[in-house]
Amino acid sequence: DAKTTQPNSMESNEEEPVHLPCNHSTISGTDYIHWYRQLPSQGPEYVIHGLTSNVNNRMASLAIAEDRKSSTLILHRATLRDAAVYYCIQDSGGGADGLTFGKGTHLIIQP
Amino acid sequence: GAVVSQHPSRVICKSGTSVKIECRSLDFQATTMFWYRQFPKQSLMLMATSNEGSKATYEQGVEKDKFLINHASLTLSTLTVTSAHPEDSSFYICSVPGQKGNEKLFFGSGTQLSVL
């Protein structure tokens, strides 16, 4: 079973920042948080991941709470192409394990 | 560019026939690949782990005789849906563990199977 909880859906306006929350209250010290997104009729796409510190890349930023029981994916300036289902995944497995997906958040972007 | 190539992207077949889906790792060798299934408006569910040169490991509730997995080389895994029925209609996605960079898994583009 998925170890994270996310809102079913969120709506935002184009060119505005989006904050997607995720709760992972059972996280242990060595568990990573991964974010993937899935556009319609496509396979998931990597967005970002982190362990303890906040992370930034060209796609997004990941803010991890100090107690690590929650995190927020930040899209700094949403575009229509960012409309997708965003999955937050708590990963306690090794390199040979797959990822367990929850239901994710369906992000709707309004023009 | 794409790291994982999955074919076909879409297939329609008659009930009772078998369908083969290919997953190729383009950039690096993969001793392990993963097969997921996704029903409409649902999340991805891991079906099985494909192991190069040995038997696949199936998740609970997945019939190994129905979903045949072959991982004969370090760059190719195939999933064959045998004697397909309408309830097997789904979106099948393969993935390959990342070996460099930040991505734990690279995903194929998926195969939409429709069984009539």
Side-chain angles (χ1 to χ4, degrees):
Chain A
D1 291 344
K3 303 171 187 174
T4 62
T5 55
Q6 300 176 251
N8 289 332
S9 66
M10 288 185 67
E11 199 167 312
S12 183
N13 295 319
E14 196 177 10
E15 299 188 3
E16 289 186 357
V18 179
H19 291 232
L20 297 167
C22 178
N23 288 321
H24 28 83
S25 58
T26 64
I27 197 168
S28 69
T30 56
D31 292 349
Y32 278 83
I33 295 298
H34 298 260
W35 282 83
Y36 280 76
R37 72 180 185 182
Q38 186 178 24
L39 279 65
S41 302
Q42 294 187 30
E45 172 189 32
Y46 170 81
V47 178
I48 202 166
H49 82 290
L51 183 61
T52 55
S53 303
N54 294 343
V55 185
N56 300 296
N57 67 20
R58 63 174 181 81
M59 288 183 71
S61 296
L62 177 60
I64 301 174
E66 196 168 332
D67 64 4
R68 301 217 312 132
K69 294 188 176 182
S70 65
S71 60
T72 302
L73 178 71
I74 303 166
L75 306 180
H76 295 285
R77 194 163 168 268
T79 69
L80 295 176
R81 290 176 293 180
D82 291 321
V85 178
Y86 286 77
Y87 297 99
C88 168
I89 303 168
Q90 176 184 328
D91 177 35
S92 54
D97 295 338
L99 292 174
T100 300
F101 285 76
K103 296 182 179 180
T105 296
H106 182 198
L107 177 63
I108 300 165
I109 304 296
Q110 297 290 353
Chain B
V3 174
V4 181
S5 175
Q6 184 174 343
H7 291 283
S9 59
R10 181 178 296 273
V11 59
I12 302 172
C13 69
K14 293 182 179 180
S15 185
T17 61
S18 295
V19 174
K20 180 185 285 188
I21 302 170
E22 291 189 350
C23 181
R24 293 183 184 274
S25 177
L26 300 179
D27 281 6
F28 40 79
Q29 297 177 336
T31 56
T32 301
M33 293 187 186
F34 303 100
W35 287 96
Y36 289 83
R37 178 170 56 181
Q38 184 176 33
F39 292 107
K41 299 194 183 301
Q42 294 188 25
S43 188
L44 286 77
M45 296 298 296
L46 180 65
M47 297 176 65
T49 301
S50 173
N51 303 301
E52 188 268 335
S54 65
K55 293 182 179 180
T57 306
Y58 291 83
E59 296 299 305
Q60 191 173 8
V62 177
E63 299 175 57
K64 60 182 170 84
D65 294 330
K66 181 166 187 63
F67 298 100
L68 300 180
I69 291 173
N70 184 281
H71 194 151
S73 79
L74 288 170
T75 58
L76 174 64
S77 174
T78 61
L79 169 67
T80 301
V81 183
T82 62
S83 187
H85 288 96
E87 57 265 31
D88 298 323
S89 299
S90 187
F91 192 53
Y92 293 86
I93 310 167
C94 71
S95 68
V96 172
Q99 294 187 347
K100 57 184 177 181
N102 293 319
E103 304 187 43
K104 174 154 184 178
L105 290 181
F106 292 91
F107 288 86
S109 54
T111 298
Q112 182 62 53
L113 171 64
S114 299
V115 184
L116 304 178

